[in-house]
């Protein structure tokens, strides 16, 4: 079971490295969005609070442009049956979740580096708070967007539908991570954000369990 | 037939009473507290409707009976309509009580999210043609969305103070109207209104799902004859 | 091991369109079933239902091993499937496709097995070419390799000889003969010649005629 999940993950990773469908476009997307923010706010002094919100806007839309690929490409190329015939639905789900987790951490890493380099007023005082917001936020983001990617892969208008469906589901997560990022700029201690951490972690657990239970229905008709 | 007529009379009486019944003096709200007779029940109705939609979604996934999906969608539609009504009435009221149409108060945020979720739900339904697939995917989506909604209850108090009467951090004057301090006749009318709205929901729901099921049956019949 | 594949009153409709109704069969080791019918008669739908890729609208398919029913989630362990709409990963080589499949299935010591099936479908010399560069006939052969990798008890072939040359057709017949020794063979085709691969035939066109007569009655 675990080795099969790992095999699906490796397959997706290898395919991504070979084709670079998502990766190149994603990196350019991040660059474009951040430049857009820079141009739109040229000359303005932005508060750290505003910048923490914008950081998650960039992360959200980057995730929306890349995380649906794992399912959409299988559906578009007709390789879904290959996987359906090879293993249980839950194995596919966890393999894809793992891949999206790696992808979202990659995105987060790149976005944060680019952001810290370009936004002068974005000074993180407590790195432990900031880092835990990124990590736990990434977990939640990957969990919700994986199951929604599985849903939209079967619909007709995939691209536009993805952020529309994901946003309301991700909103509790995003509000919490934005708030945590603001706190990290204000220099809050990690212990103060314990409630936030609990919310983020339970969000991840709840969404993964619900997805695990519901994925069979989406995967096979 | 007769009970529908009675229900009409009942709701009419409640509506009139909502404007004329003496409610006593409530500090900070005054006569504006009368919104409770119509605004809160419509919010209540939309929550019931979404809950029923959820139950039918689960039932659809278990039975794969398309009628369950039709009922789920019908209930979600009614919920969405009354969610909208709640938002509009609340927003107008907020302009006069809190000074602006929208304040991102926790309950305003929650209802906004509900509107977004079910807006997305209907977009998803319109984006899929195959009926079974539409039913399955929208059922799954509504369940996934539904499990994330409760998080707002934990998140909101941390992030922002509440303005709604009855919420934490409410200034002394406005008081938790819903839980106590309610005038006896105000309380009776409030619960009567809740009951009335629930009956209205049941009626519309029955009508709507019957209509959609008949539509499917008629189409089936036409198809078989061709 | 005694394997039994049972279809009970299978009916499938897409929305208002009834594809077929009351299909019954029972297959055990060594038996074979051909599904005949015109284009659009629902052959592929039926084989997908048998393989567990689609759910029937009513009725059921049962997999039994020594009288014990197998959970639907585990059917994939028993089924090999070849069909025109089954696609392989074209950014990988033929060998990599099989390797990925073996790992996902959790097969042990798969190198020997992969070599074996590749030789059986005569692709061993081209194993390290990307599938993108394969001809359609070679892709079809690779699908056979994928289907046979785990020695399935039930082998389902939808349009078995599409895109294949005469040598490939011979290969398919050999595979079918081999399968019938111990396993179950199901072939969906509209070529009368290929129906001879199997002992029993379900003709979906005739079934439809029967259904129409029933409605008229």
């Amino acid at each position: 079971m675990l080795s099969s999940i790992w095999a699906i993950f490796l397959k997706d990773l290898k395919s991504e490295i070979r084709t670079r469908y998502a990766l190149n476009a994603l990196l350019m997307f991040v660059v474009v969005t951040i430049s857009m923010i820079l141009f739109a706010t040229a000359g303005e002094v932005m508060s750290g609070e505003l910048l923490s919100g914008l950081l998650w806007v960039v992360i959200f839309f980057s995730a929306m442009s890349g995380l649906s690929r794992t399912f959409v490409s299988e559906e578009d190329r007709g390789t879904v049956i290959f996987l359906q015939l090879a293993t249980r639905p839950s194995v596919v789900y966890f393999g894809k979740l793992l891949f999206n987790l790696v992808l979202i951490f990659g995105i987060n890493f790149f976005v944060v580096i680019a952001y810290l380099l370009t936004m002068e007023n974005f000074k993180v005082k407590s790195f432990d708070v900031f880092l835990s917001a990124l990590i736990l936020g990434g977990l939640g983001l990957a969990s919700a967007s994986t199951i929604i990617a599985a849903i939209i892969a079967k619909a007709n208008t995939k691209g536009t539908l993805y952020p529309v469906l994901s946003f309301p589901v991700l909103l509790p997560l995003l509000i919490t991570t934005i708030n945590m990022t603001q706190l990290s700029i204000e220099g809050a201690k990690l212990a103060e954000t314990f409630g936030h951490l609990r919310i983020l972690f339970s969000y991840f657990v709840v969404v993964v369990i619900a997805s695990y239970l519901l994925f069979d229905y989406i995967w096979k008709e | 037939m007769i009970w529908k007529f009675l229900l009409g009379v009942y709701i009419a009486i409640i509506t009139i009473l909502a404007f004329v019944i003496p409610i006593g003096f409530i500090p900070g709200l005054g006569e504006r507290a009368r919104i409770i007779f119509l605004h809160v029940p419509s919010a209540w109705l939309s929550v019931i409707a979404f809950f029923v939609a959820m139950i039918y979604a689960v039932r659809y996934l278990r039975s794969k009976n398309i009628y369950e999906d039709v009922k789920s969608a019908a209930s979600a539609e009614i919920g969405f309509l009354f969610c909208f009504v709640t938002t509009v009435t609340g927003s107008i009221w907020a302009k006069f009580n809190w000074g602006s149409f929208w304040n991102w108060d926790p309950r305003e945020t929650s209802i906004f999210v509900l509107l977004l979720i079910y807006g997305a739900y209907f977009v998803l339904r319109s984006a899929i043609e195959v009926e079974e697939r539409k039913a399955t995917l929208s059922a799954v989506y509504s369940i996934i969305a539904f499990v994330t909604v409760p998080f707002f209850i934990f998140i909101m108090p941390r992030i922002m103070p509440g303005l709604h009467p009855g919420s934490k951090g409410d200034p002394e004057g406005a008081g938790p109207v819903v839980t106590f301090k309610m005038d006896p006749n105000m309380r009776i009318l409030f619960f009567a209104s809740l009951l009335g709205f629930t009956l209205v929901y049941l009626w519309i729901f029955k009508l709507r799902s019957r209509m959609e099921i008949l539509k499917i049956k008629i189409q089936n019949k036409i198809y078989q004859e061709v | 091991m005694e394997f039994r594949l049972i279809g009970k009153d299978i009916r499938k409709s897409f929305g208002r369109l009834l594809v077929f109704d009351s299909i019954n069969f029972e297959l055990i080791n060594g038996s074979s079933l051909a599904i005949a019918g015109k284009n659009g008669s629902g052959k592929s739908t039926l084989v997908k239902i048998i393989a567990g890729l689609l759910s029937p609208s009513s009725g059921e398919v049962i997999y039994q091993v020594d009288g014990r029913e197998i959970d639907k989630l585990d059917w994939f362990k028993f089924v090999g499937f070849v069909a025109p709409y089954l696609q392989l990963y074209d950014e990988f080589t033929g060998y990599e496709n099989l390797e990925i499949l073996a790992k996902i299935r959790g097969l042990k010591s798969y190198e020997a097995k992969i070599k074996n099936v590749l030789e059986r479908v005569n692709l061993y010399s081209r194993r390290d070419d990307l599938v993108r560069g394969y001809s359609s006939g070679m892709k079809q052969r690779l699908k056979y390799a994928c289907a046979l990798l785990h020695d399935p008890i039930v082998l389902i072939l939808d349009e078995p000889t599409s895109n294949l040359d005469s040598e490939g057709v011979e290969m398919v017949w050999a595979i079918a003969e081999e399968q019938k020794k111990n396993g179950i063979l199901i072939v969906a085709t509209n070529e009368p010649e290929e129906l001879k691969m199997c002992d029993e035939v379900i003709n979906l066109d005739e079934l439809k005629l029967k259904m129409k007569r029933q409605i008229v009655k």
Side-chain angles (χ1 to χ4, degrees):
Chain A
M1 177 89 176
L2 278 178
S3 66
S4 305
I5 293 172
W6 188 244
I8 296 225
F9 165 71
L10 281 183
K11 179 220 102 191
D12 275 0
L13 195 68
K14 212 166 162 187
S15 157
E16 182 54 50
I17 290 167
R18 214 165 270 190
T19 60
R20 303 270 169 85
Y21 272 129
L23 214 58
N24 289 348
L26 254 176
L27 295 186
M28 275 319 286
F29 190 90
V30 173
V31 171
V32 167
T33 331
I34 290 183
S35 340
M36 184 77 196
I37 293 175
L38 285 173
F39 286 130
T41 62
E44 299 273 345
V45 179
M46 281 192 288
S47 67
E49 232 177 42
L50 185 61
L51 284 172
S52 343
L54 282 177
L55 172 69
W56 285 94
V57 173
V58 178
I59 291 179
F60 172 73
F61 280 106
S62 314
M64 289 303 104
S65 67
L67 292 191
S68 65
R69 201 196 88 85
T70 49
F71 281 110
V72 172
S73 75
E74 305 271 5
E75 200 72 40
D76 282 352
R77 295 191 294 171
T79 46
V80 173
I81 295 177
F82 183 95
L83 290 179
Q84 284 174 338
L85 286 167
T87 188
R88 290 178 168 223
S90 50
V91 169
V92 176
Y93 169 70
F94 284 112
K96 301 281 184 189
L97 176 65
L98 204 58
F99 178 73
N100 271 352
L101 274 172
V102 170
L103 201 58
I104 194 78
F105 284 129
I107 295 174
N108 279 359
F109 181 73
F110 183 70
V111 169
V112 168
I113 297 285
Y115 212 72
L116 287 172
L117 287 178
T118 51
M119 307 288 171
E120 284 173 18
N121 280 344
F122 191 71
K123 291 194 185 80
V124 179
K125 283 198 189 116
S126 30
F127 265 96
D128 46 356
V129 175
F130 184 63
L131 218 61
S132 39
L134 272 183
I135 292 171
L136 285 175
L139 286 179
L141 203 55
S143 65
S145 41
T146 304
I147 187 77
I148 293 186
I151 293 176
I152 60 131
K154 307 256 181 194
N156 299 342
T157 47
K158 301 173 173 57
T160 38
L161 210 53
Y162 194 38
V164 169
L165 290 192
S166 303
F167 182 68
V169 174
L170 282 171
L171 198 57
L173 179 100
L174 291 173
I175 291 175
T176 314
T177 52
I178 289 173
N179 195 250
M180 267 187 89
T181 313
Q182 288 166 348
L183 288 174
S184 78
I185 282 179
E186 289 159 13
K189 296 218 170 56
L190 190 61
E192 291 169 39
T193 61
F194 198 66
H196 291 80
L197 297 177
R198 225 167 30 197
I199 290 171
L200 291 180
F201 186 71
S202 43
Y203 180 93
F204 171 67
V205 173
V206 165
V207 173
V208 167
I209 290 174
S211 310
Y212 166 70
L213 293 175
L214 292 169
F215 186 72
D216 292 10
Y217 296 109
I218 310 174
W219 186 239
K220 286 191 183 175
E221 281 169 69
Chain B
M1 186 60 219
I2 185 74
W3 71 273
K4 284 172 196 163
F5 178 72
L6 289 177
L7 182 61
V9 173
Y10 180 74
I11 291 289
I13 292 172
I14 284 176
T15 315
I16 294 166
L17 280 180
F19 286 97
V20 300
I21 200 172
I23 55 169
F25 179 70
I26 298 162
L29 293 174
E31 293 296 314
R32 288 192 296 272
R34 289 182 188 279
I35 193 177
I36 194 177
F37 298 126
L38 302 170
H39 172 72
V40 177
S42 64
W44 158 257
L45 188 158
S46 73
V47 170
I48 294 187
F50 288 145
F51 191 69
V52 171
M54 245 295 272
I55 291 173
Y56 278 109
V58 174
R59 285 179 58 157
Y60 172 76
L61 288 181
R62 297 200 155 196
S63 69
K64 295 276 168 183
N65 178 353
I66 199 77
Y67 293 160
E68 307 278 9
D69 171 66
V70 166
K71 285 178 187 167
S72 177
S75 195
E77 275 170 23
I78 303 166
F80 191 73
L81 178 70
F82 277 87
C83 205
F84 189 71
V85 168
T86 312
T87 315
V88 172
T89 54
S91 187
I92 295 170
W93 185 83
K95 176 73 184 167
F96 294 98
N97 209 57
W98 302 330
S100 72
F101 285 113
W102 201 259
N103 305 283
W104 294 111
D105 154 275
R107 279 178 219 182
E108 284 181 342
T109 313
S110 318
I111 206 153
F112 174 68
V113 171
L114 280 180
L115 284 175
L116 277 184
I117 288 176
Y118 283 92
Y121 171 85
F122 292 120
V123 172
L124 177 65
R125 287 186 74 87
S126 64
I128 312 164
E129 275 145 32
V130 186
E131 258 169 36
E132 287 118 33
R133 190 180 270 196
K134 175 197 286 183
T136 310
L137 295 183
S138 57
V140 169
Y141 180 69
S142 69
I143 295 168
I144 292 282
F146 208 85
V147 299
T148 61
V149 168
F151 281 94
F152 285 98
I153 299 164
F154 304 109
I155 292 162
M156 286 310 159
R158 281 174 206 288
I159 316 277
M160 48 191 96
L163 292 168
H164 262 85
S167 54
K168 212 174 121 192
D170 189 27
E172 183 69 38
V177 182
V178 185
T179 43
F180 59 97
K181 266 192 190 169
M182 220 181 338
D183 214 52
N185 51 8
M186 186 175 176
R187 187 198 300 265
I188 291 170
L189 185 59
F190 172 64
F191 285 109
S193 176
L194 277 189
L195 178 70
F197 270 75
T198 312
L199 292 176
V200 168
Y201 163 72
L202 288 177
W203 179 33
I204 308 179
F205 173 61
K206 231 177 135 187
L207 205 65
R208 186 94 187 90
S209 39
R210 227 171 68 201
M211 196 175 98
E212 290 298 317
I213 288 173
L214 280 178
K215 237 189 229 170
I216 292 179
K217 283 187 176 158
I218 290 170
Q219 277 167 338
N220 282 351
K221 213 166 187 182
I222 293 171
Y223 190 84
Q224 270 171 11
E225 276 163 14
V226 168
Chain C
M1 185 172 70
E2 191 204 52
F3 192 92
R4 209 173 272 272
L5 174 59
I6 307 162
K8 266 190 198 159
D9 285 325
I10 303 171
R11 187 179 75 89
K12 181 69 186 176
S13 55
F14 289 111
R16 271 150 224 110
L17 178 73
L18 178 67
V19 187
F20 44 71
D21 197 358
S22 50
I23 292 197
N24 288 288
F25 56 84
E26 185 166 343
L27 301 167
I28 50 165
N29 305 59
S31 56
S32 52
L33 173 71
I35 298 164
K38 292 188 297 239
N39 291 339
S41 59
K43 295 188 299 290
S44 297
T45 309
L46 183 55
V47 291
K48 278 184 189 168
I49 289 174
I50 295 171
L53 297 172
L54 265 180
S55 304
S57 303
S58 67
E60 57 181 342
V61 178
I62 300 167
Y63 284 37
Q64 264 181 6
V65 173
D66 298 328
R68 208 164 33 83
E69 201 176 312
I70 304 291
D71 185 22
K72 199 172 177 184
L73 290 173
D74 287 325
W75 285 8
F76 71 92
K77 291 175 187 159
F78 302 93
V79 178
F81 194 87
V82 176
Y85 41 84
L86 169 71
Q87 301 294 331
L88 303 159
Y89 293 99
D90 59 6
E91 71 270 30
F92 295 127
T93 66
Y95 186 86
E96 279 170 330
N97 265 290
L98 288 164
E99 195 181 22
I100 287 165
L101 186 64
K103 280 184 181 162
I104 292 176
R105 281 188 178 276
L107 301 181
K108 291 188 184 71
S109 59
Y110 52 80
E111 280 96 349
K113 277 182 193 151
I114 293 179
K115 185 164 183 262
N116 179 15
V117 286
L118 277 173
E119 274 165 355
R120 246 175 113 181
V121 299
N122 200 11
L123 272 182
Y124 192 69
S125 56
R126 299 287 302 271
R127 66 186 182 281
D128 289 329
D129 291 359
L130 288 183
V131 172
R132 187 172 297 142
Y134 278 20
S135 71
S136 47
M138 288 166 75
K139 280 183 188 161
Q140 180 75 358
R141 282 161 189 264
L142 188 58
K143 285 178 197 170
Y144 274 93
C146 287
L148 295 171
L149 186 63
H150 57 293
D151 300 320
I153 298 176
V154 182
L155 183 64
I156 300 176
L157 309 177
D158 193 352
E159 297 184 28
T161 54
S162 63
N163 295 323
L164 288 177
D165 51 14
S166 57
E167 192 192 323
V169 173
E170 257 170 51
M171 174 198 88
V172 172
W173 278 87
I175 288 171
E177 280 308 313
E178 183 71 29
Q179 180 67 22
K180 277 195 287 186
K181 279 182 194 158
N182 256 322
I184 294 172
L185 176 72
I186 297 174
V187 178
T189 182
N190 44 18
E191 307 226 357
E193 186 62 25
E194 287 166 11
L195 293 178
K196 289 177 194 158
M197 279 182 199
C198 304
D199 307 333
E200 289 172 65
V201 178
I202 290 182
N203 193 323
L204 292 176
D205 295 335
E206 284 170 17
L207 213 74
K208 225 158 249 174
L209 275 176
K210 237 187 263 169
M211 265 156 45
K212 272 207 183 123
R213 270 185 226 125
Q214 274 168 355
I215 290 170
V216 171
K217 272 176 200 166

